């Protein structure tokens, strides 16, 4: 038992406790895990919106190149170099100022004397186009030659990929911008590329320029456009959409560099603080410090979901603990039962050995006395013969019980059911027993009705049940040698009662006495021989007949065992 307890502790209880502790630890991180999962999903939404904006920009760049090529096809290149601003603005609503730069960095268009926007443009950019380095946001175009040969310049080393730090501070939007400006000349920006984008902040306002080098070109000029930003941004509004699956939970917003919402997936939504999105993704250096933010419509919902997940997990863990505890309890109970049974079997073997030995000793002793011819007294000889007969009967009863028990346990016991008179079985069984009982000083009283008590039964099996009960009444008589056997029929049941005035059954053992090998009066302490099988067999046989054997405590002391059988009268 002790060994088993250790096995249980090492193999079941300890691993369960460790698993439980790990599970409880993971419970605490539920909210964090949930936020992490959601932020990963929503980051994807923000990134895809940012990607769409960049695609739109690439689209506009292509469109601009086509416009330039179309204008060059219509107009002579020398003439277009001076009239490009007017021609482009007339043709393309997104153009704010069109410009042409000669290979030497001279601005050919617009004229310094044209409209105010063009003049301002010249003032802002002339020096940048010809020779000055200014702060710009740009992506160096790496040609095959440049990637293979020279190491990237200082400005080329800038990381421009937008990143969003997701960690324990999720929800507090700790986005870190990696889009940075660097001083560069226009010629340096162009490198050997054919087209590009330049973003500059002038007087706190973003200026976005596209440039394009047409091929073939006589003058080798660069054509460019400063975009009309409000109009350009207007085109993004249609892009701000969220998949229906997320529409209930989030709003996607396109924010300018001052965190003002430009486009919203849900126009009715107003964030408490636009600067604190749940997750964000920067558009890139074409629109520096502009970003796509994802806002939770109901931030409390996540806490609620985390709480629900925690409760569900906690209940599951507790449930598992309860199941493990119940399982352990069952295992211990079953093992205890098995141990008890093993003990009872051991007792049974020693009890049966005793029971076999006692009658055998008597039989041997008295038969030897008779055989030697030393007993002259006829009365004594008769008495010795009676003892031998009684002991032989006891021996065969015990052997029958053991054999029948084995047969019943293996389901091999066969009954010969037939209509018989239970009163007749009682009479003949008692009469065959009476001499033995009376010789020991017992009074045996039998009360049976005149009419037969018809039952469908195996006569021998029924007699065996009765013999077991009478034998017990004799064994546990405790000096009060009164046995009574009554038979009667009531409510369609034949009841045969075996009553004694003996020791009675200890309280709490009323049902246990019918269990195999169970003995209420320990053989050693009581000195009464027994195998613990008599009542087990009696009940099993009675039940095979559709009846039962039950115990009743007698008010005035002693026991009453009743054989109940279905009446066939
Ligand atoms: P056993 O061979 O020990 O008599 P049984 O199955 O016949 O086995 O009886 C089981 C136990 O029930 C006995 O050990 C005894 O303690 C108790 N018992 C049975 N019959 C009587 C009785 N008539 N009076 C008191 N105790 C009884």
């Amino acid at each position: 038992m002790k060994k088993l307890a250790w096995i249980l502790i090492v193999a079941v209880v300890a691993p369960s406790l460790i698993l439980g502790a790990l599970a409880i630890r993971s419970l605490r991180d539920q909210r964090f895990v949930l936020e992490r999962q959601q932020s990963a999903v929503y980051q994807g939404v923000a990134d895809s919106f940012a990607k769409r904006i960049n695609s739109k920009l690439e689209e506009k760049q292509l469109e601009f190149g086509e416009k330039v090529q179309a204008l060059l096809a219509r107009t002579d290149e020398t003439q277009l170099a001076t009239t490009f601003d007017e021609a482009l603005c007339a043709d393309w609503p997104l153009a704010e100022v069109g410009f042409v730069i000669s290979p030497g960095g001279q601005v050919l268009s617009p004229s310094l004397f044209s409209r105010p926007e063009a003049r301002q443009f010249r003032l802002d950019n002339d020096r940048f186009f010809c020779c000055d380095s200014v702060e710009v946001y740009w992506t160096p175009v790496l040609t095959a030659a440049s990637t293979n040969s020279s190491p990237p310049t200082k400005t080329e080393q800038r990381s421009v990929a937008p990143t969003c730090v997701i960690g324990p501070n999720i929800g507090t939007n700790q986005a870190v911008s990696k889009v940075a400006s660097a001083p560069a000349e226009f010629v340096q920006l162009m490198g050997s590329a054919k087209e590009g984008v330049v973003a500059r902040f002038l007087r706190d306002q973003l200026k976005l320029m596209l440039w394009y080098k047409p091929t073939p070109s006589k003058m080798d000029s660069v054509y460019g456009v400063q975009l009309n930003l409000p109009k350009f941004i207007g085109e993004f509004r249609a892009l701000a959409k969220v998949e229906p699956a997320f529409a209930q939970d989030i709003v996607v917003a396109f924010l300018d560099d001052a965190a003002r919402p430009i486009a919203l997936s849900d126009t009715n939504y107003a964030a408490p603080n636009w600067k604190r999105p749940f997750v964000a993704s920067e558009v890139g250096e074409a629109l520096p410090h502009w970003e796509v933010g994802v806002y939770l419509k109901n931030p409390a919902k996540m806490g609620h979901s985390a709480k629900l997940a925690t409760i569900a997990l906690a209940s599951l863990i507790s449930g598992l603990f309860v199941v493990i505890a119940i399982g352990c309890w069952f295992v211990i109970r079953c093992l205890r039962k098995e141990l008890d049974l093993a003990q009872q079997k051991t007792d049974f073997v020693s009890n049966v050995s005793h029971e076999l030995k006692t009658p055998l000793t008597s039989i041997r002793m008295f038969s030897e006395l008779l055989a030697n011819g030393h007993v002259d007294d006829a009365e004594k000889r008769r008495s010795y013969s009676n003892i031998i007969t009684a002991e032989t009967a006891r021996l065969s009863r015990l052997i029958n019980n053991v054999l029948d028990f084995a047969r019943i346990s293996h389901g091999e016991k066969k009954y010969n059911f037939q209509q018989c008179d239970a009163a007749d079985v009682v009479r003949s069984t008692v009469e065959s027993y009476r001499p033995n009982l009376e010789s020991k000083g017992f009074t045996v009283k039998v009360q049976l009705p005149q009419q037969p008590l018809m039952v469908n039964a195996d006569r021998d099996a029924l007699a065996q049940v009765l013999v077991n009960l009478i034998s017990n009444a004799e064994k546990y008589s405790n000096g009060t040698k009164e046995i009574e056997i009554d038979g009667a029929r009531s409510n369609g049941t034949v009841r045969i009662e075996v009553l004694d005035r003996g020791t009675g059954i200890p309280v709490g053992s009323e049902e246990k006495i019918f269990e195999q090998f169970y003995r209420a009066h320990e053989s050693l302490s009581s000195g009464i021989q027994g195998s613990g099988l008599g009542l087990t067999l009696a009940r099993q046989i009675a039940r095979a007949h559709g009846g039962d054997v039950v115990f009743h405590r007698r008010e005035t002391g002693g026991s009453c065992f009743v054989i109940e059988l279905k009446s066939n009268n």
Side-chain angles (χ1 to χ4, degrees):
M1 196 69 189
K2 213 172 177 183
K3 196 171 160 196
L4 190 88
W6 276 112
I7 292 173
L8 258 183
I9 289 170
V10 172
V12 182
V13 180
S16 309
L17 286 177
I18 293 170
L19 282 179
L22 290 176
I24 286 166
R25 241 188 81 178
S26 86
L27 276 184
R28 283 184 298 160
D29 300 338
Q30 266 310 300
R31 189 187 162 92
F32 174 59
V33 170
L34 207 72
E35 281 179 350
R36 226 189 146 80
Q37 283 170 352
Q38 292 218 333
S39 64
V41 173
Y42 295 153
Q43 188 64 52
V45 175
D47 289 349
S48 85
F49 188 19
K51 216 181 244 171
R52 267 180 276 156
I53 291 171
N54 277 313
S55 310
K56 193 86 186 165
L57 199 69
E58 279 166 23
E59 216 176 84
K60 292 298 150 197
Q61 183 132 25
L62 271 178
E63 204 178 322
F64 173 63
E66 282 164 12
K67 292 271 174 216
V68 173
Q69 291 292 5
L71 286 171
L72 280 171
R74 278 207 306 264
T75 327
D76 174 59
E77 199 176 338
T78 332
Q79 192 195 334
L80 186 63
T82 51
T83 58
F84 181 70
D85 176 39
E86 294 81 4
L88 184 72
C89 290
D91 198 32
W92 205 33
L94 284 187
E96 191 174 69
V97 178
F99 60 88
V100 182
I101 322 272
S102 74
Q106 192 191 344
V107 180
L108 304 176
S109 174
S111 155
L112 256 177
F113 307 105
S114 76
R115 53 207 173 89
E117 294 94 331
R119 216 173 29 247
Q120 186 60 52
F121 176 80
R122 293 278 316 253
L123 290 174
D124 289 340
N125 295 299
D126 268 13
R127 292 196 62 76
F128 167 54
F129 289 139
C130 91
C131 48
D132 261 8
S133 281
V134 297
E135 287 288 320
V136 284
Y137 296 82
W138 63 290
T139 311
V141 180
L142 298 177
T143 58
S146 66
T147 42
N148 291 339
S149 56
S150 58
T153 63
K154 202 177 172 198
T155 47
E156 283 168 346
Q157 284 170 347
R158 289 176 300 120
S159 165
V160 291
T163 56
C164 180
V165 176
I166 303 162
N169 293 332
I170 296 164
T172 57
N173 182 34
Q174 297 299 310
V176 174
S177 173
K178 288 209 174 164
V179 177
S181 64
E185 290 170 25
F186 187 60
V187 184
Q188 185 190 352
L189 294 188
M190 286 194 299
S192 57
K194 204 173 153 251
E195 59 188 4
V197 184
V198 180
R200 291 186 68 192
F201 273 98
L202 291 166
R203 296 173 295 282
D204 274 345
Q205 270 199 334
L206 178 69
K207 299 288 173 193
L208 198 58
M209 289 181 270
L210 305 179
W211 58 267
Y212 176 73
K213 264 192 209 167
T215 45
S217 163
K218 279 186 285 172
M219 294 173 64
D220 208 16
S221 309
V222 177
Y223 291 78
V225 63
Q226 178 169 290
L227 289 175
N228 181 325
L229 214 54
K231 276 190 189 162
F232 179 51
I233 287 163
E235 299 204 2
F236 296 133
R237 298 225 159 86
L239 301 177
K241 278 190 196 115
V242 173
E243 276 179 49
F246 297 138
Q248 288 283 318
D249 301 323
I250 55 167
V251 174
V252 176
F254 180 33
L255 307 163
D256 68 8
D257 52 282
R260 283 182 300 251
I262 306 288
L264 278 171
S265 64
D266 180 350
T267 45
N268 295 324
Y269 180 76
N273 184 353
W274 289 106
K275 288 185 177 163
R276 295 173 74 86
F278 181 60
V279 286
S281 183
E282 281 188 277
V283 177
E285 58 197 358
L287 292 168
H289 307 309
W290 291 46
E291 59 181 21
V292 174
V294 173
Y295 298 83
L296 297 180
K297 279 187 175 174
N298 183 3
K301 195 174 162 190
M302 177 142 13
H304 187 64
S305 308
K307 213 175 191 175
L308 277 184
T310 308
I311 291 172
L313 213 68
S315 329
L316 196 74
I317 293 167
S318 338
L320 285 177
F321 266 123
V322 170
V323 170
I324 290 170
I326 293 175
C328 287
W329 180 75
F330 263 112
V331 169
I332 291 169
R333 218 182 86 148
C334 287
L335 281 165
R336 207 171 245 166
K337 259 193 171 167
E338 287 297 315
L339 285 175
D340 284 353
L341 199 65
Q343 182 61 46
Q344 282 173 349
K345 277 184 182 165
T346 316
D347 292 351
F348 165 76
V349 173
S350 71
N351 287 338
V352 168
S353 318
H354 252 87
E355 274 227 79
L356 288 173
K357 227 168 137 189
T358 319
L360 271 178
T361 315
S362 308
I363 292 167
R364 199 174 147 197
M365 190 178 82
F366 289 111
S367 54
E368 271 174 12
L369 280 175
L370 289 175
N372 289 343
H374 294 314
V375 188
D376 298 331
D377 187 354
E379 189 56 38
K380 265 190 179 169
R381 274 209 300 276
R382 201 170 33 255
S383 158
Y384 291 173
S385 306
N386 280 344
I387 292 172
I388 292 171
T389 313
E391 290 301 301
T392 314
R394 193 169 132 196
L395 205 58
S396 55
R397 194 174 61 246
L398 172 73
I399 291 167
N400 277 346
N401 276 350
V402 174
L403 289 178
D404 273 353
F405 175 71
R407 275 189 210 117
I408 290 174
S409 301
H410 294 115
E412 289 168 359
K413 170 87 178 163
K414 300 267 181 301
Y415 294 98
N416 179 20
F417 289 107
Q418 58 189 32
Q419 285 284 0
C420 61
D421 180 5
D424 191 40
V425 177
V426 172
R427 241 176 254 120
S428 59
T429 311
V430 173
E431 289 322 310
S432 67
Y433 239 76
R434 190 187 287 278
N436 171 43
L437 290 171
E438 286 181 348
S439 70
K440 290 175 182 166
F442 279 88
T443 57
V444 184
K445 215 163 112 190
V446 179
Q447 280 190 14
L448 291 166
Q450 293 295 322
Q451 301 84 8
L453 300 170
M454 296 309 289
V455 289
N456 186 24
D458 180 323
R459 272 188 81 97
D460 294 340
L462 189 54
Q464 192 182 353
V465 174
L466 205 58
V467 165
N468 282 354
L469 297 183
I470 296 170
S471 156
N472 279 351
E474 177 202 343
K475 278 199 295 189
Y476 304 103
S477 63
N478 199 25
T480 314
K481 302 185 174 183
E482 286 172 27
I483 298 176
E484 188 176 330
I485 297 123
D486 296 343
R489 185 178 50 237
S490 67
N491 301 329
T493 304
V494 169
R495 295 165 55 87
I496 301 160
E497 297 180 350
V498 179
L499 306 112
D500 62 55
R501 291 282 175 203
T503 54
I505 304 294
V507 177
S509 294
E510 292 85 348
E511 270 306 302
K512 283 189 187 158
I513 51 173
F514 292 98
E515 287 172 14
Q516 58 188 13
F517 312 129
Y518 184 84
R519 306 205 66 213
H521 309 92
E522 282 307 318
S523 55
L524 288 181
S525 54
S526 64
I528 304 167
Q529 298 296 315
S531 59
L533 284 182
L535 287 180
T536 314
L537 269 176
R539 179 169 262 183
Q540 281 174 346
I541 292 171
R543 284 186 176 172
H545 281 72
D548 206 349
V549 173
V550 291
F551 164 77
H552 294 295
R553 197 175 297 285
R554 289 183 87 180
E555 296 283 303
T556 46
S559 309
C560 169
F561 285 90
V562 187
I563 307 168
E564 297 174 343
L565 293 171
K566 220 162 94 201
S567 166
N568 252 14
N569 278 66

